[in-house]
Amino acid sequence: MAEKLLTISAFAKLFKTTQYTIRHYEDKGLLLPAKIAENGYRQYGMGEAYQLSFILFLRALDLSVAEIKLILTTDYPEQTMLLNKKQALQQEIARLQALERTVDEQLQQATHETTYRVNQTIHLRVLKRLPFAQDFDLSVVEAID
């Protein structure tokens, strides 16, 4: 029984990508169609599906097309590359968690600070006399007559 082949558009739809992406990978030598029909239609089978899914996985890891080609065309150890990517992801997670803690601390400080609302008009000449070079509170404004 012959393997069922898909056209490039059906193949692209299956992987939720575009025909242009598949053609790009073909142009870069990462993927070849199983068959090119007499009318020029490209057709893809199960082997190409596995190949494309691996390429898309590597692209999701932010590998460049050149890096993917190196992996696919040489005896480059995939395990080493995946372990390096995992370590980089763990470092990024730690960085983002530290950033999240900083944001949480800032939010906590913002909720504990007292906000004063001035219901009186403060004239510009009074503001000009305020000591902006140093910290002050509302008692400085009250002291200025």
Side-chain angles (χ1 to χ4, degrees):
M1 186 164 136
E3 178 183 23
K4 181 178 177 181
L5 299 176
L6 298 173
T7 63
I8 192 169
S9 51
F11 195 61
K13 187 183 263 188
L14 179 68
F15 285 95
K16 297 180 180 157
T17 188
T18 66
Q19 298 175 33
Y20 305 108
T21 301
I22 294 172
R23 288 300 307 260
H24 175 70
Y25 294 146
E26 286 180 12
D27 291 342
K28 297 298 180 182
L30 301 178
L31 180 70
L32 295 174
K35 179 181 172 186
I36 299 178
E38 291 177 17
N39 59 5
Y41 286 141
R42 297 166 135 51
Q43 298 176 330
Y44 303 86
M46 189 61 84
E48 293 75 31
Y50 286 126
Q51 184 82 5
L52 182 59
S53 65
F54 187 61
I55 292 168
L56 293 173
F57 166 69
L58 295 176
R59 288 295 290 149
L61 292 175
D62 286 334
L63 291 176
S64 69
V65 172
E67 290 172 315
I68 294 171
K69 189 169 188 172
L70 178 71
I71 291 168
L72 295 177
T73 58
T74 65
D75 290 333
Y76 187 83
E78 296 170 26
Q79 212 168 16
T80 303
M81 180 272 308
L82 289 173
L83 288 172
N84 291 341
K85 274 297 178 182
K86 182 178 179 180
Q87 184 180 20
L89 287 170
Q90 288 170 336
Q91 289 171 349
E92 182 65 9
I93 289 169
R95 185 188 73 79
L96 290 172
Q97 285 172 338
L99 186 60
E100 180 183 30
R101 284 190 297 275
T102 304
V103 169
D104 287 342
E105 289 169 5
Q106 292 295 319
L107 287 171
Q108 194 172 22
Q109 283 181 357
T111 58
H112 288 93
E113 289 181 4
T114 306
T115 304
Y116 296 102
R117 175 172 289 187
V118 179
N119 291 328
Q120 300 285 331
T121 303
I122 299 177
H123 298 284
L124 185 57
R125 67 174 186 250
V126 172
L127 285 177
K128 285 182 181 179
R129 292 188 292 179
L130 292 176
F132 284 113
Q134 52 188 315
D135 291 339
F136 65 91
D137 59 12
L138 289 178
S139 62
V140 175
V141 176
E142 292 171 1
I144 300 172
D145 190 10

